[in-house]
Amino acid sequence: KQEVTQIPAALSVPEGENLVLNCSFTDSAIYNLQWFRQDPGKGLTSLLLIQSSQREQTSGRLNASLDKSSGRSTLYIAASQPGDSATYLCAVPDFGNEKLTFGTGTRLTIIP
Amino acid sequence: GAVVSQHPSRVICKSGTSVKIECRSLDFQATTMFWYRQFPKQSLMLMATSNEGSKATYEQGVEKDKFLINHASLTLSTLTVTSAHPEDSSFYICSARDWQGGIYTEAFFGQGTRLTVV
C-alpha cells in the first residue's frame, strides 16, 4: 500500500525567502505526482503535475522535482509572499492511476 | 486549469434529514469523479469513486446506503448524505479526472462543502 509523507508538517518563514517542501512515497511505481495547495476551508488547487518520465516542472515561482528511484519529490517556492500561506499537499495515483493517495500536508506560513 | 464547481459551499441541516451536494465539471468531461471527506487538520480521505453511468465504488468502511452517489452524466456527480447525524458533519470535497489516450488526466477539485448537522 502506497504511503506518502510530507516533511515538515508546518513551516514558517519570513517573506522573500526561498523554501523547499518535501514529499516522499514508498512505492516508486507511480505514473505521476501532483502538488496542490489548500487554503483554510477551501478545496484543493492544482499547482503542478509532474509525469513519471519528467524530472521537474515549473510554473512561475514554483518548481517541482521528482526522483522516482528514491521516492521523493520537492516543491521549491522562490521569493515567498504572504499569499503563499496555505497547506501544501502532494499526491500520487495508485497502480491503476485512478485513486490518489495524499501526503500528510505541510502548513506554510509566510511572515510579512 | 480546468474548473470543477461544487455546490453548496456550506449547508446546515437538522439531524435525520438528507442533504445533496453537487459536483460539476464545467469545461471538460469527467470520466471519473471522486468524493473525499476531510476532518479538521487532517488530509483527505477517499470515500468513493464514481464512473459515469456506473455504480460507485466505495472505500472500505464507507456506508453506501448512507452516502448515495449518482454520476448520471460526464459533467455531474452528486453525493447525498441520507438521514444525516451530527457525526456526519465534515468537509466534503469532490474531484474529477478525465480519461484520455489511455491515461487519467490531472485531478481537479471542487471548492468543498462544509456540512453541519444540528
Side-chain angles (χ1 to χ4, degrees), chain B residues 34-108:
Chain B
F34 305 85
W35 287 95
Y36 296 84
R37 184 172 179 175
Q38 187 176 34
F39 294 99
K41 298 188 185 300
Q42 294 188 24
S43 194
L44 282 71
M45 180 189 79
L46 180 65
M47 298 174 65
T49 302
S50 73
N51 290 296
E52 184 262 339
S54 303
K55 288 185 178 180
T57 302
Y58 290 81
E59 295 299 300
Q60 192 172 12
V62 178
E63 299 176 60
K64 62 180 180 181
D65 295 330
K66 157 72 83 174
F67 300 101
L68 299 179
I69 292 172
N70 183 279
H71 192 163
S73 76
L74 285 171
T75 59
L76 174 64
S77 177
T78 61
L79 167 67
T80 301
V81 182
T82 63
S83 187
H85 291 285
E87 57 265 30
D88 298 326
S89 298
S90 191
F91 192 60
Y92 293 88
I93 310 176
C94 69
S95 172
R97 303 181 80 182
D98 194 11
W99 177 261
Q100 291 181 2
I103 61 172
Y104 280 102
T105 60
E106 187 173 351
F108 294 98

Side-chain angles (χ1 to χ4, degrees), chain A residues 37-75:
Chain A
R37 69 173 280 169
Q38 183 177 30
D39 293 287
K42 303 293 184 183
L44 275 65
T45 299
S46 178
L47 298 174
L48 288 165
L49 171 70
I50 183 166
Q51 301 291 352
S52 61
S53 59
Q54 298 174 318
R55 295 194 68 84
E56 63 179 65
Q57 274 279 31
T58 299
S59 175
R61 294 182 294 109
L62 306 179
N63 177 278
S65 67
L66 176 63
D67 185 343
K68 275 184 58 177
S69 60
S70 66
R72 293 180 183 176
S73 176
T74 61
L75 179 67

Side-chain angles (χ1 to χ4, degrees), chain A:
Chain A
K1 179 184 174 184
Q2 178 75 270
E3 293 183 4
V4 183
T5 306
Q6 291 184 246
I7 296 174
L11 179 65
S12 293
V13 299
E15 180 179 2
E17 283 197 5
N18 304 323
L19 59 100
V20 175
L21 306 180
N22 297 292
C23 172
S24 60
F25 44 94
T26 54
D27 186 349
S28 61
I30 62 172
Y31 285 92
N32 53 57
L33 184 144
Q34 203 165 347
W35 281 93
F36 300 89
R37 69 173 280 169
Q38 183 177 30
D39 293 287
K42 303 293 184 183
L44 275 65
T45 299
S46 178
L47 298 174
L48 288 165
L49 171 70
I50 183 166
Q51 301 291 352
S52 61
S53 59
Q54 298 174 318
R55 295 194 68 84
E56 63 179 65
Q57 274 279 31
T58 299
S59 175
R61 294 182 294 109
L62 306 179
N63 177 278
S65 67
L66 176 63
D67 185 343
K68 275 184 58 177
S69 60
S70 66
R72 293 180 183 176
S73 176
T74 61
L75 179 67
Y76 175 84
I77 303 177
S80 59
Q81 303 171 358
D84 295 331
S85 297
T87 295
Y88 289 80
L89 296 159
C90 64
V92 293
D94 65 3
F95 181 74
N97 192 27
E98 185 181 65
K99 304 177 190 178
L100 294 179
T101 298
F102 283 87
T104 44
T106 295
R107 190 171 68 254
L108 175 65
T109 302
I110 305 300
I111 304 166

